[in-house]
Amino acid sequence: MTGATRHYVLAAGGTGGHLLPAFALATELDRRGHHVALITDARGAEIPGKPDFMPAHVLPAGRFGKNPLNWFKGVSAVMEGRRMALRLFDSFEPSAVVGFGGYPSLPSILASTSAGIPTLVHEQNAVLGRVNRLLASRVDAIATAYPEVERLAPKFLEKTHLVGNPVRSGVLSLRDDPYPAYGEDGLLRVLVTGGSQGARVLSEVVPDGLAMLPPAVRQRLQVTQQCRAEDLDKVRERYRTHGIPAELGTYFEDMAARLADAHLFIGRAGASTIAELTAVGRPAILVPLPIATDDHQAANARELAKAGGARMIRQDKFNGKELAKQIMALADNPKGLAAAAHAAWNCGRPKAVEDLADLVESFGGAEMMDVIRVGGNNARGASQGVPAGQGAAREMAK
């Protein structure tokens, strides 16, 4: 806590992956006595979870596809959003502006850098996103969720800080709970999700893959799976045919509780998913979304897979036989599954929201903080001229 009330603007939109960390940061800054406002786009305004205390300002945000004919429209929208953001800054007078990536954050960050307002960006993925790459030279600090971030140029390391990816308080509260008891005769509870709409490839592959497990394992399965509405009946029939108990739904409101009960997770490798798996300590079979920009989901999965907390299967190799093989590699005995859970837990960064808030608070008041806590390690702040995680980030940017 700084002892002084300040104003901060958070710029995020488009998807929950950008907005959920912003909501978590807003809650922490509010707890510390600051005022926080959100700048987002029309889609972002519909994402649930925004704290009631935080006003939202919807600005136009241009999108830039591969067709150059659409670029003029995108640039016009960004410039209009920038003008609107500058008017907001005149009245709100933020001590700093924090961007969370994605095109909806672009107008606000361009406005803050042009107005001389301290500015930082947070990158949730293990690949620096396009907008954050565009803004990297302009901003005062870059906060990352991974020690290795592709497409982050070495020249920006002096202002880079490893903080982690903030997760929901309901999930973080489970961190100190023990891994669910799993023995030779107990249930093996499997949680399968594919994002807010479910992933069709998971619905097509997972039931048959689980059916290929050895009988001693298959007979102990208890599955919870998120599916698309149009796939529910087909998936339910597959599980019934295989004799595997399964609870299916298009959305589960109590996802944190279900994650707490699960012995094994199967799903995509989005930034929020990885952060929650490592916060709680749950082993996983990860199937990165192949069309993710810059293949960032595969990059997200690598740290966890390298640590032994997950197995990654590329979608073009994702079939029932391979899934059963990788599940058995993790769960061939109770000790192996528990060890994978512990490896996942060790990858967690439970202080992410506090460390990010510390970094944000270092703007507009006292000098930049000397040390940012990252788990049990220290990452030197930019005021000391020592890059956080030096040698970890690889140059991929041009």
Side-chain angles (χ1 to χ4, degrees):
M1 177 76 180
T2 63
T5 296
R6 302 188 194 143
H7 293 185
Y8 294 105
V9 170
L10 311 186
T15 68
H18 295 308
L19 278 157
L20 292 179
F23 294 162
L25 175 61
T27 300
E28 177 64 16
L29 290 174
D30 177 76
R31 187 188 69 80
R32 298 184 184 197
H34 303 302
H35 298 301
V36 189
L38 173 70
I39 290 180
T40 188
D41 62 343
R43 278 203 309 160
E46 299 299 322
I47 300 293
K50 183 184 77 65
D52 292 337
F53 62 78
M54 181 169 59
H57 304 268
V58 177
L59 271 60
R63 294 186 175 279
F64 302 87
K66 295 182 179 180
N67 187 351
L69 297 177
N70 296 327
W71 292 356
F72 178 78
K73 184 178 179 180
V75 170
S76 297
V78 168
M79 290 299 99
E80 175 60 21
R82 178 180 176 275
R83 287 189 289 271
M84 293 173 67
L86 285 171
R87 289 196 292 271
L88 173 63
F89 298 161
D90 283 341
S91 60
F92 195 68
E93 297 183 346
S95 294
V97 176
V98 187
F100 286 84
Y103 285 114
S105 71
L106 183 57
S108 304
I109 302 301
L110 290 176
S112 60
T113 56
S114 68
I117 299 171
T119 306
L120 61 152
V121 294
H122 179 267
E123 178 56 60
Q124 300 89 52
N125 294 298
V127 180
L128 198 65
R130 291 177 180 177
V131 169
N132 284 347
R133 291 202 300 271
L134 177 65
L135 298 168
S137 63
R138 294 171 173 259
V139 301
D140 298 286
I142 301 170
T144 67
Y146 293 87
E148 295 187 14
V149 180
E150 297 178 8
R151 309 203 72 169
L152 174 61
K155 63 183 178 181
F156 300 132
L157 286 174
E158 289 190 3
K159 59 181 178 181
T160 297
H161 306 261
L162 172 62
V163 299
N165 200 14
V167 300
R168 296 173 291 172
S169 59
V171 172
L172 192 58
S173 66
L174 303 170
R175 180 165 176 82
D176 293 329
D177 292 350
Y179 181 68
Y182 171 62
E184 298 287 353
D185 300 322
L187 291 173
L188 174 58
R189 292 187 292 271
V190 179
L191 175 63
V192 187
T193 75
S196 59
Q197 298 299 318
R200 177 156 291 163
V201 67
L202 297 174
S203 295
E204 293 173 348
V205 172
V206 173
D208 294 343
L210 294 178
M212 295 180 185
L213 292 171
V217 176
R218 187 176 68 244
Q219 292 169 5
R220 295 187 287 121
L221 288 172
Q222 186 177 72
V223 180
T224 299
Q225 182 164 346
Q226 180 191 48
C227 307
R228 295 172 182 263
E230 59 269 29
D231 295 335
L232 278 173
D233 290 341
K234 181 171 62 176
V235 177
R236 186 174 289 113
E237 179 60 23
R238 284 189 176 182
Y239 279 118
R240 189 195 64 79
T241 299
H242 296 315
I244 298 174
E247 179 184 1
L248 309 180
T250 57
Y251 179 76
F252 297 111
E253 291 188 1
D254 58 342
M255 188 60 76
R258 293 174 185 274
L259 183 60
D261 288 339
H263 295 106
L264 178 66
F265 172 87
I266 302 174
R268 295 300 195 189
S272 294
T273 296
I274 300 294
E276 293 191 350
L277 289 172
T278 56
V280 180
R282 292 297 179 270
I285 305 293
L286 299 172
V287 186
L289 180 68
I291 61 172
T293 304
D294 297 320
D295 199 25
H296 68 255
Q297 287 205 4
N300 291 349
R302 286 184 189 123
E303 180 188 23
L304 186 53
K306 184 177 180 180
R311 296 290 176 126
M312 180 171 64
I313 307 175
R314 289 286 194 170
Q315 187 161 308
D316 60 349
K317 305 292 185 183
F318 186 55
N319 53 54
K321 183 177 180 180
E322 183 63 20
L323 175 60
K325 173 184 173 181
Q326 295 302 333
I327 290 175
M328 291 310 299
L330 284 173
D332 60 345
N333 65 77
K335 289 185 178 179
L337 202 57
H342 186 66
W345 191 90
N346 279 338
C347 290
R349 296 183 174 89
K351 298 290 187 181
V353 71
E354 296 172 30
D355 290 338
L356 182 57
D358 286 348
L359 178 60
V360 171
E361 278 190 328
S362 69
F363 290 94
E367 285 186 21
M368 281 281 287
M369 63 198 311
D370 289 340
V371 176
I372 296 178
R373 301 180 308 278
V374 181
N377 301 319
N378 290 333
R380 285 289 182 184
S383 65
Q384 300 300 306
V386 181
Q390 184 163 12
R394 292 173 289 172
E395 181 183 12
M396 297 293 287
K398 296 183 179 179

